PDB file of all heavy atoms in Angstrom:
ATOM      1  N   LEU D 203     226.731-133.305 -93.795  1.00  0.00           N
ATOM      2  CA  LEU D 203     226.936-132.069 -94.502  1.00  0.00           C
ATOM      3  C   LEU D 203     225.841-131.915 -95.518  1.00  0.00           C
ATOM      4  O   LEU D 203     225.295-132.874 -96.053  1.00  0.00           O
ATOM      5  CB  LEU D 203     228.323-132.008 -95.237  1.00  0.00           C
ATOM      6  CG  LEU D 203     229.539-132.419 -94.386  1.00  0.00           C
ATOM      7  CD1 LEU D 203     230.783-132.378 -95.295  1.00  0.00           C
ATOM      8  CD2 LEU D 203     229.751-131.428 -93.230  1.00  0.00           C
ATOM      9  N   THR D 204     225.563-130.633 -95.864  1.00  0.00           N
ATOM     10  CA  THR D 204     224.698-130.354 -97.029  1.00  0.00           C
ATOM     11  C   THR D 204     225.500-129.825 -98.162  1.00  0.00           C
ATOM     12  O   THR D 204     226.529-129.226 -97.971  1.00  0.00           O
ATOM     13  CB  THR D 204     223.585-129.358 -96.688  1.00  0.00           C
ATOM     14  OG1 THR D 204     224.207-128.177 -96.163  1.00  0.00           O
ATOM     15  CG2 THR D 204     222.663-129.867 -95.626  1.00  0.00           C
ATOM     16  N   LEU D 205     225.040-130.040 -99.343  1.00  0.00           N
ATOM     17  CA  LEU D 205     225.827-129.515-100.523  1.00  0.00           C
ATOM     18  C   LEU D 205     225.755-128.009-100.587  1.00  0.00           C
ATOM     19  O   LEU D 205     224.656-127.440-100.640  1.00  0.00           O
ATOM     20  CB  LEU D 205     225.247-130.164-101.810  1.00  0.00           C
ATOM     21  CG  LEU D 205     226.003-129.853-103.068  1.00  0.00           C
ATOM     22  CD1 LEU D 205     227.398-130.466-102.965  1.00  0.00           C
ATOM     23  CD2 LEU D 205     225.327-130.406-104.287  1.00  0.00           C
ATOM     24  N   ALA D 206     226.854-127.404-100.605  1.00  0.00           N
ATOM     25  CA  ALA D 206     226.913-125.907-100.450  1.00  0.00           C
ATOM     26  C   ALA D 206     226.229-125.275-101.666  1.00  0.00           C
ATOM     27  O   ALA D 206     226.540-125.521-102.766  1.00  0.00           O
ATOM     28  CB  ALA D 206     228.390-125.474-100.373  1.00  0.00           C
ATOM     29  N   CYS D 207     225.337-124.303-101.361  1.00  0.00           N
ATOM     30  CA  CYS D 207     224.757-123.497-102.342  1.00  0.00           C
ATOM     31  C   CYS D 207     224.187-124.279-103.483  1.00  0.00           C
ATOM     32  O   CYS D 207     224.198-123.841-104.648  1.00  0.00           O
ATOM     33  CB  CYS D 207     225.684-122.426-102.851  1.00  0.00           C
ATOM     34  SG  CYS D 207     225.969-121.090-101.707  1.00  0.00           S
ATOM     35  N   GLY D 208     223.695-125.477-103.215  1.00  0.00           N
ATOM     36  CA  GLY D 208     223.215-126.362-104.290  1.00  0.00           C
ATOM     37  C   GLY D 208     222.006-125.803-104.967  1.00  0.00           C
ATOM     38  O   GLY D 208     221.285-124.969-104.416  1.00  0.00           O
ATOM     39  N   GLY D 209     221.773-126.292-106.183  1.00  0.00           N
ATOM     40  CA  GLY D 209     220.642-125.869-106.943  1.00  0.00           C
ATOM     41  C   GLY D 209     219.348-126.459-106.405  1.00  0.00           C
ATOM     42  O   GLY D 209     219.317-127.567-105.862  1.00  0.00           O
ATOM     43  N   VAL D 210     218.270-125.684-106.494  1.00  0.00           N
ATOM     44  CA  VAL D 210     216.986-126.208-106.030  1.00  0.00           C
ATOM     45  C   VAL D 210     216.376-127.127-107.087  1.00  0.00           C
ATOM     46  O   VAL D 210     216.176-126.685-108.198  1.00  0.00           O
ATOM     47  CB  VAL D 210     216.004-124.994-105.687  1.00  0.00           C
ATOM     48  CG1 VAL D 210     214.654-125.522-105.319  1.00  0.00           C
ATOM     49  CG2 VAL D 210     216.598-124.120-104.618  1.00  0.00           C
ATOM     50  N   ALA D 211     216.119-128.357-106.692  1.00  0.00           N
ATOM     51  CA  ALA D 211     215.523-129.309-107.665  1.00  0.00           C
ATOM     52  C   ALA D 211     214.120-128.859-107.960  1.00  0.00           C
ATOM     53  O   ALA D 211     213.370-128.372-107.146  1.00  0.00           O
ATOM     54  CB  ALA D 211     215.587-130.679-107.061  1.00  0.00           C
ATOM     55  N   THR D 212     213.666-129.238-109.147  1.00  0.00           N
ATOM     56  CA  THR D 212     212.302-128.906-109.603  1.00  0.00           C
ATOM     57  C   THR D 212     211.249-129.768-108.891  1.00  0.00           C
ATOM     58  O   THR D 212     210.137-129.394-108.632  1.00  0.00           O
ATOM     59  CB  THR D 212     212.113-129.040-111.016  1.00  0.00           C
ATOM     60  OG1 THR D 212     212.586-130.317-111.525  1.00  0.00           O
ATOM     61  CG2 THR D 212     212.964-127.987-111.780  1.00  0.00           C
ATOM     62  N   ALA D 213     211.732-131.007-108.527  1.00  0.00           N
ATOM     63  CA  ALA D 213     210.860-131.925-107.793  1.00  0.00           C
ATOM     64  C   ALA D 213     211.078-131.692-106.272  1.00  0.00           C
ATOM     65  O   ALA D 213     212.208-131.476-105.840  1.00  0.00           O
ATOM     66  CB  ALA D 213     211.169-133.389-108.157  1.00  0.00           C
ATOM     67  N   GLN D 214     210.038-131.748-105.520  1.00  0.00           N
ATOM     68  CA  GLN D 214     210.120-131.515-104.095  1.00  0.00           C
ATOM     69  C   GLN D 214     210.046-132.762-103.291  1.00  0.00           C
ATOM     70  O   GLN D 214     209.835-132.717-102.055  1.00  0.00           O
ATOM     71  CB  GLN D 214     208.998-130.507-103.642  1.00  0.00           C
ATOM     72  CG  GLN D 214     208.994-129.242-104.420  1.00  0.00           C
ATOM     73  CD  GLN D 214     210.209-128.377-104.248  1.00  0.00           C
ATOM     74  OE1 GLN D 214     210.649-128.175-103.110  1.00  0.00           O
ATOM     75  NE2 GLN D 214     210.807-127.946-105.318  1.00  0.00           N
ATOM     76  N   GLY D 215     210.165-133.928-103.899  1.00  0.00           N
ATOM     77  CA  GLY D 215     209.871-135.146-103.278  1.00  0.00           C
ATOM     78  C   GLY D 215     210.793-135.442-102.079  1.00  0.00           C
ATOM     79  O   GLY D 215     210.331-136.092-101.113  1.00  0.00           O
ATOM     80  N   ASN D 216     212.086-135.056-102.144  1.00  0.00           N
ATOM     81  CA  ASN D 216     212.968-135.413-101.033  1.00  0.00           C
ATOM     82  C   ASN D 216     213.228-134.286-100.091  1.00  0.00           C
ATOM     83  O   ASN D 216     214.152-134.244 -99.342  1.00  0.00           O
ATOM     84  CB  ASN D 216     214.333-135.893-101.627  1.00  0.00           C
ATOM     85  CG  ASN D 216     215.034-134.837-102.374  1.00  0.00           C
ATOM     86  OD1 ASN D 216     214.442-133.900-102.863  1.00  0.00           O
ATOM     87  ND2 ASN D 216     216.341-135.006-102.526  1.00  0.00           N
ATOM     88  N   ALA D 217     212.310-133.270-100.112  1.00  0.00           N
ATOM     89  CA  ALA D 217     212.488-132.176 -99.221  1.00  0.00           C
ATOM     90  C   ALA D 217     212.056-132.651 -97.838  1.00  0.00           C
ATOM     91  O   ALA D 217     211.047-133.320 -97.668  1.00  0.00           O
ATOM     92  CB  ALA D 217     211.591-131.008 -99.659  1.00  0.00           C
ATOM     93  N   GLY D 218     212.821-132.192 -96.790  1.00  0.00           N
ATOM     94  CA  GLY D 218     212.443-132.545 -95.436  1.00  0.00           C
ATOM     95  C   GLY D 218     211.637-131.485 -94.783  1.00  0.00           C
ATOM     96  O   GLY D 218     211.234-130.547 -95.381  1.00  0.00           O
ATOM     97  N   ALA D 219     211.424-131.656 -93.462  1.00  0.00           N
ATOM     98  CA  ALA D 219     210.704-130.659 -92.693  1.00  0.00           C
ATOM     99  C   ALA D 219     211.565-129.467 -92.425  1.00  0.00           C
ATOM    100  O   ALA D 219     212.793-129.572 -92.365  1.00  0.00           O
ATOM    101  CB  ALA D 219     210.218-131.286 -91.395  1.00  0.00           C
ATOM    102  N   ILE D 220     210.964-128.309 -92.296  1.00  0.00           N
ATOM    103  CA  ILE D 220     211.663-127.118 -92.073  1.00  0.00           C
ATOM    104  C   ILE D 220     212.252-127.134 -90.661  1.00  0.00           C
ATOM    105  O   ILE D 220     211.554-127.467 -89.693  1.00  0.00           O
ATOM    106  CB  ILE D 220     210.770-125.855 -92.228  1.00  0.00           C
ATOM    107  CG1 ILE D 220     210.456-125.677 -93.700  1.00  0.00           C
ATOM    108  CG2 ILE D 220     211.419-124.575 -91.671  1.00  0.00           C
ATOM    109  CD1 ILE D 220     209.500-124.572 -93.995  1.00  0.00           C
ATOM    110  N   ASN D 221     213.585-126.826 -90.585  1.00  0.00           N
ATOM    111  CA  ASN D 221     214.246-126.743 -89.308  1.00  0.00           C
ATOM    112  C   ASN D 221     214.425-125.268 -88.903  1.00  0.00           C
ATOM    113  O   ASN D 221     215.014-124.515 -89.682  1.00  0.00           O
ATOM    114  CB  ASN D 221     215.608-127.430 -89.419  1.00  0.00           C
ATOM    115  CG  ASN D 221     216.436-127.434 -88.137  1.00  0.00           C
ATOM    116  OD1 ASN D 221     216.980-126.434 -87.755  1.00  0.00           O
ATOM    117  ND2 ASN D 221     216.454-128.568 -87.439  1.00  0.00           N
ATOM    118  N   ALA D 222     213.977-124.888 -87.752  1.00  0.00           N
ATOM    119  CA  ALA D 222     214.018-123.500 -87.319  1.00  0.00           C
ATOM    120  C   ALA D 222     215.423-123.016 -87.224  1.00  0.00           C
ATOM    121  O   ALA D 222     215.716-121.885 -87.585  1.00  0.00           O
ATOM    122  CB  ALA D 222     213.283-123.328 -85.971  1.00  0.00           C
ATOM    123  N   GLY D 223     216.324-123.813 -86.671  1.00  0.00           N
ATOM    124  CA  GLY D 223     217.705-123.391 -86.509  1.00  0.00           C
ATOM    125  C   GLY D 223     218.401-123.197 -87.861  1.00  0.00           C
ATOM    126  O   GLY D 223     219.086-122.127 -88.027  1.00  0.00           O
ATOM    127  N   ASP D 224     218.173-124.076 -88.754  1.00  0.00           N
ATOM    128  CA  ASP D 224     218.789-123.916 -90.105  1.00  0.00           C
ATOM    129  C   ASP D 224     218.255-122.685 -90.821  1.00  0.00           C
ATOM    130  O   ASP D 224     218.967-121.941 -91.439  1.00  0.00           O
ATOM    131  CB  ASP D 224     218.529-125.173 -90.972  1.00  0.00           C
ATOM    132  CG  ASP D 224     219.220-126.388 -90.468  1.00  0.00           C
ATOM    133  OD1 ASP D 224     220.204-126.262 -89.654  1.00  0.00           O
ATOM    134  OD2 ASP D 224     218.879-127.549 -90.905  1.00  0.00           O
ATOM    135  N   THR D 225     216.925-122.523 -90.707  1.00  0.00           N
ATOM    136  CA  THR D 225     216.281-121.354 -91.402  1.00  0.00           C
ATOM    137  C   THR D 225     216.800-120.084 -90.764  1.00  0.00           C
ATOM    138  O   THR D 225     217.161-119.110 -91.505  1.00  0.00           O
ATOM    139  CB  THR D 225     214.755-121.440 -91.225  1.00  0.00           C
ATOM    140  OG1 THR D 225     214.328-122.663 -91.759  1.00  0.00           O
ATOM    141  CG2 THR D 225     214.140-120.264 -91.899  1.00  0.00           C
ATOM    142  N   ALA D 226     216.925-120.001 -89.488  1.00  0.00           N
ATOM    143  CA  ALA D 226     217.432-118.832 -88.806  1.00  0.00           C
ATOM    144  C   ALA D 226     218.874-118.538 -89.243  1.00  0.00           C
ATOM    145  O   ALA D 226     219.286-117.348 -89.485  1.00  0.00           O
ATOM    146  CB  ALA D 226     217.391-118.951 -87.291  1.00  0.00           C
ATOM    147  N   TRP D 227     219.690-119.578 -89.343  1.00  0.00           N
ATOM    148  CA  TRP D 227     221.084-119.427 -89.760  1.00  0.00           C
ATOM    149  C   TRP D 227     221.159-118.873 -91.141  1.00  0.00           C
ATOM    150  O   TRP D 227     221.948-117.959 -91.479  1.00  0.00           O
ATOM    151  CB  TRP D 227     221.844-120.764 -89.660  1.00  0.00           C
ATOM    152  CG  TRP D 227     223.187-120.738 -90.183  1.00  0.00           C
ATOM    153  CD1 TRP D 227     223.692-121.513 -91.172  1.00  0.00           C
ATOM    154  CD2 TRP D 227     224.350-119.889 -89.796  1.00  0.00           C
ATOM    155  NE1 TRP D 227     225.020-121.235 -91.399  1.00  0.00           N
ATOM    156  CE2 TRP D 227     225.453-120.232 -90.547  1.00  0.00           C
ATOM    157  CE3 TRP D 227     224.456-118.887 -88.875  1.00  0.00           C
ATOM    158  CZ2 TRP D 227     226.642-119.596 -90.427  1.00  0.00           C
ATOM    159  CZ3 TRP D 227     225.674-118.216 -88.650  1.00  0.00           C
ATOM    160  CH2 TRP D 227     226.782-118.601 -89.536  1.00  0.00           C
ATOM    161  N   VAL D 228     220.393-119.444 -92.106  1.00  0.00           N
ATOM    162  CA  VAL D 228     220.465-119.003 -93.490  1.00  0.00           C
ATOM    163  C   VAL D 228     219.978-117.561 -93.632  1.00  0.00           C
ATOM    164  O   VAL D 228     220.532-116.789 -94.371  1.00  0.00           O
ATOM    165  CB  VAL D 228     219.681-119.990 -94.406  1.00  0.00           C
ATOM    166  CG1 VAL D 228     219.563-119.423 -95.784  1.00  0.00           C
ATOM    167  CG2 VAL D 228     220.404-121.339 -94.410  1.00  0.00           C
ATOM    168  N   LEU D 229     218.838-117.263 -92.950  1.00  0.00           N
ATOM    169  CA  LEU D 229     218.340-115.872 -93.092  1.00  0.00           C
ATOM    170  C   LEU D 229     219.317-114.857 -92.436  1.00  0.00           C
ATOM    171  O   LEU D 229     219.557-113.768 -92.963  1.00  0.00           O
ATOM    172  CB  LEU D 229     216.916-115.757 -92.370  1.00  0.00           C
ATOM    173  CG  LEU D 229     215.813-116.477 -93.143  1.00  0.00           C
ATOM    174  CD1 LEU D 229     214.578-116.404 -92.297  1.00  0.00           C
ATOM    175  CD2 LEU D 229     215.567-115.926 -94.487  1.00  0.00           C
ATOM    176  N   GLY D 230     219.893-115.261 -91.286  1.00  0.00           N
ATOM    177  CA  GLY D 230     220.922-114.367 -90.688  1.00  0.00           C
ATOM    178  C   GLY D 230     222.066-114.217 -91.582  1.00  0.00           C
ATOM    179  O   GLY D 230     222.691-113.102 -91.740  1.00  0.00           O
ATOM    180  N   SER D 231     222.499-115.291 -92.243  1.00  0.00           N
ATOM    181  CA  SER D 231     223.597-115.250 -93.128  1.00  0.00           C
ATOM    182  C   SER D 231     223.313-114.388 -94.368  1.00  0.00           C
ATOM    183  O   SER D 231     224.166-113.615 -94.897  1.00  0.00           O
ATOM    184  CB  SER D 231     224.018-116.660 -93.621  1.00  0.00           C
ATOM    185  OG  SER D 231     224.489-117.407 -92.558  1.00  0.00           O
ATOM    186  N   ALA D 232     222.067-114.475 -94.829  1.00  0.00           N
ATOM    187  CA  ALA D 232     221.632-113.592 -95.956  1.00  0.00           C
ATOM    188  C   ALA D 232     221.789-112.081 -95.587  1.00  0.00           C
ATOM    189  O   ALA D 232     222.285-111.285 -96.400  1.00  0.00           O
ATOM    190  CB  ALA D 232     220.249-113.885 -96.378  1.00  0.00           C
ATOM    191  N   ALA D 233     221.407-111.769 -94.320  1.00  0.00           N
ATOM    192  CA  ALA D 233     221.550-110.351 -93.913  1.00  0.00           C
ATOM    193  C   ALA D 233     223.027-110.019 -93.839  1.00  0.00           C
ATOM    194  O   ALA D 233     223.403-108.873 -94.188  1.00  0.00           O
ATOM    195  CB  ALA D 233     220.911-110.191 -92.546  1.00  0.00           C
TER     196      ALA D 233
END
């Protein structure tokens, strides 16, 4: 699971690679 609507940390050190499916889901959900 990911933490729902969590805050964006100022440090980017633990950011992973962009996942196309996750990105599509979030952008679709935004719409």
